[in-house]
Amino acid sequence: MMQWELSDAELLALDLDLFSTDCERPELCEGDGGHTSSRSTESCCTGHGTAEVTCSANEQSSNQQNVSEQESDPLCEGSSAKRRKCDGRIPLERFGRKHLSVTDLSRQAWCEQQVVYGMELPHIQQLRDEVPVVKAGSCLHLARELEVQDIVPINVESREDNWAVKMLNLLSMIQFLQAGERVRELPVFGELEGIFVVGVVDELCYNSKGELELRELKTRGQRTYPSAAQKKSHHLQVSIYKLLFEAMIKGQLNKDTITHHLHLRTDQPLGSEIRVHAQKVGFTINTFGDLLDLMLLNLTYTEIPSIDTMKIEYCYQADASVIGTEEVSFEEEWVKSELKHYSSFWKGQREAKGVDIEEAWKCRSCDFADICEWRRSKAEEATQKNRANQCK
Ligand code: SF4
């Protein structure tokens, strides 16, 4: 770690271009299928291979439309903080989100304000997703996925089709898990703190003791372990996966929760490619509601055990070598209180928060540092405090 001979206030106020670019950055989590994912497609595992479906273009364009509508409102001109205040909608609605990804929540642990800027200025976020280091991470994930399953493209015709692919993936993977096999890129979803949350678990398998083990792959630009701040975000991520997965296999997901949050139509006929694909893996379904019932029934009667162990494997991107593996202990109270705190922002119960002054070092690697109002106000606050101390 570099040693800075600067006060926090000076650090916050510095021209960030002066810093080198190899400092700590939050890593993008892969595979959540949310807007932060660098992959434009998500894969579907089946007993006969895998299917690939394009991301919900409708949802993405509606997100962008919502943001641009807000930006062009002449009554809401001025700083983005002013525009946010002027907009009466809660953040979830303002960003046109029917659900959050686990990545959204775990990145809040790094800097919530950064997550908000990423949604308000998606073109900057997309540039980040395109950087070689993120792309290399995606390739490693894909290579691992292909070790256990093939990918087959499937055309989707509606939002219900898009979700049908996730559910067919899940149904297939439940069968594999019941047979004691390893699965990768397992979709998990459900309601947490009144918000629908969606994620993709890198890997679930049985260890030598016969326990179900969750494994998450994190790729690193340097051959070092991440900082404590990054680890916190990773621990939160895998802990949310465990919460979602266990609620699913305990039959706690229900039809109304899914259709209400996601605005999906149960009577929507599924596209021809989805129906053919479902038939190949042994399911005869016609509508989205048929598949939903089938999935919920399977989840209710499945005999998959709870996750006993959670491990995060850190890999060096340049040569895919393993830096090390860390075991994460599940602290239910901590996860639930973090979730309560982070979700209160999305529900409009409080304003977004940037980093505390002790963590001002995070701003050095932030793409939004030049425009960040939080950083500016903290710098002013700290300068005033310093002045007041000097006058004493
Ligand atoms: S500049 Fe700092 S406070 Fe602002 S969004 Fe970036 S990391 Fe967060």
Side-chain angles (χ1 to χ4, degrees):
M1 175 65 83
M2 295 165 108
Q3 297 298 314
W4 301 99
E5 292 174 6
L6 293 168
S7 70
D8 290 333
E10 285 166 329
L11 189 55
L12 279 163
L14 268 176
D15 177 354
L16 290 136
D17 288 340
L18 297 173
F19 290 97
S20 64
T21 54
D22 63 350
C23 47
E24 288 277 346
R25 285 170 178 266
E27 288 163 20
L28 289 177
C29 308
E30 306 294 336
D32 271 354
H35 77 289
T36 54
S37 170
S38 59
R39 293 174 61 186
S40 61
T41 59
E42 53 186 292
S43 63
C44 169
C45 163
T46 77
H48 297 264
T50 61
E52 195 174 72
V53 58
T54 53
C55 279
S56 171
N58 288 349
E59 249 179 287
Q60 286 186 359
S61 65
S62 105
N63 290 349
Q64 281 163 8
Q65 195 185 349
N66 273 336
V67 173
S68 56
E69 270 171 8
Q70 175 207 337
E71 280 171 350
S72 61
D73 184 345
L75 294 174
C76 294
E77 279 172 5
S79 69
S80 48
K82 257 190 208 161
R83 287 201 304 272
R84 277 179 225 126
K85 269 190 189 140
C86 178
D87 190 318
R89 293 171 295 174
I90 62 169
L92 259 190
E93 291 166 354
R94 186 151 48 87
F95 295 116
R97 304 292 296 268
K98 295 179 181 67
H99 62 78
L100 291 178
S101 69
V102 176
T103 307
D104 293 326
L105 290 164
S106 58
R107 291 180 72 204
Q108 271 178 275
W110 176 267
C111 176
E112 189 168 83
Q113 184 62 67
Q114 195 182 63
V115 175
V116 173
Y117 279 132
M119 289 188 181
E120 287 179 341
L121 304 163
H123 51 288
I124 295 183
Q125 186 64 55
Q126 274 156 18
L127 287 178
R128 163 58 68 91
D129 294 348
E130 290 300 313
V131 299
V133 87
V134 177
K135 281 194 158 176
S138 295
C139 290
L140 272 179
H141 276 83
L142 184 59
R144 292 233 172 150
E145 186 185 351
L146 290 173
E147 283 172 10
V148 295
Q149 55 212 30
D150 301 324
I151 287 178
V152 178
I154 283 195
N155 277 324
V156 293
E157 297 166 25
S158 64
R159 291 186 58 245
E160 285 76 8
D161 277 3
N162 209 11
W163 272 91
V165 172
K166 273 191 184 51
M167 291 173 183
L168 284 169
N169 273 342
L170 181 63
L171 280 170
S172 296
M173 292 189 192
I174 286 172
Q175 291 175 345
F176 287 132
L177 282 173
Q178 289 200 143
E181 291 182 37
R182 164 196 315 263
V183 296
R184 287 202 169 128
E185 302 290 310
L186 174 101
V188 285
F189 40 86
E191 190 186 62
L192 295 171
E193 291 294 326
I195 295 174
F196 204 79
V197 180
V198 180
V200 180
V201 176
D202 273 353
E203 182 175 327
L204 275 186
C205 61
Y206 295 92
N207 62 20
S208 54
K209 291 189 224 156
E211 299 168 336
L212 189 58
E213 190 167 293
L214 181 153
R215 293 185 186 168
E216 177 69 20
L217 170 68
K218 292 286 174 207
T219 52
R220 306 260 314 140
Q222 303 105 36
R223 206 190 291 271
T224 54
Y225 272 105
S227 64
Q230 274 180 315
K231 281 188 183 173
K232 180 189 170 193
S233 163
H234 298 163
H235 290 190
L236 182 64
Q237 183 187 358
V238 294
S239 301
I240 300 174
Y241 287 150
K242 179 173 159 74
L243 276 184
L244 289 172
F245 177 76
E246 297 195 349
M248 288 167 86
I249 58 160
K250 284 177 186 157
Q252 291 168 1
L253 248 186
N254 73 59
K255 200 170 175 174
D256 289 344
T257 305
I258 298 174
T259 53
H260 162 74
H261 282 287
L262 303 174
H263 302 182
L264 296 169
R265 299 156 296 180
T266 51
D267 58 353
Q268 171 70 23
L270 293 169
S272 54
E273 291 200 21
I274 299 277
R275 279 181 282 125
V276 169
H277 184 68
Q279 192 87 47
K280 273 191 198 158
V281 291
F283 307 120
T284 305
I285 42 170
N286 291 311
T287 64
F288 178 70
D290 293 343
L291 177 56
L292 198 50
D293 288 337
L294 188 68
M295 180 196 74
L296 293 172
L297 198 69
N298 268 265
L299 286 172
T300 305
Y301 293 106
T302 187
E303 285 178 5
I304 299 171
S306 297
I307 294 167
D308 288 294
T309 322
M310 299 191 290
K311 284 186 180 161
I312 302 179
E313 183 182 303
Y314 292 102
C315 265
Y316 182 43
Q317 270 151 3
D319 59 7
S321 61
V322 177
I323 300 166
T325 302
E326 190 177 75
E327 191 161 336
V328 179
S329 64
F330 181 66
E331 291 166 37
E332 193 167 351
E333 270 184 33
W334 171 74
V335 189
K336 289 189 170 167
S337 88
E338 291 290 292
L339 278 170
K340 205 178 185 61
H341 173 69
Y342 294 131
S343 60
S344 64
F345 162 70
W346 297 105
K347 293 189 277 192
Q349 292 162 355
R350 62 174 176 81
E351 292 294 316
K353 237 178 129 270
V355 299
D356 289 330
I357 198 147
E358 299 76 23
E359 293 197 316
W361 52 270
K362 288 181 180 174
C363 305
R364 296 201 309 262
S365 60
C366 177
D367 296 326
F368 308 104
D370 289 339
I371 56 157
C372 180
E373 290 154 21
W374 176 275
R375 177 176 155 260
R376 203 173 303 136
S377 72
K378 285 282 161 188
E380 279 165 16
E381 226 175 77
T383 310
Q384 276 168 17
K385 224 181 193 172
N386 281 347
R387 277 201 201 115
N389 285 342
Q390 279 164 10
C391 293
K392 275 182 189 169

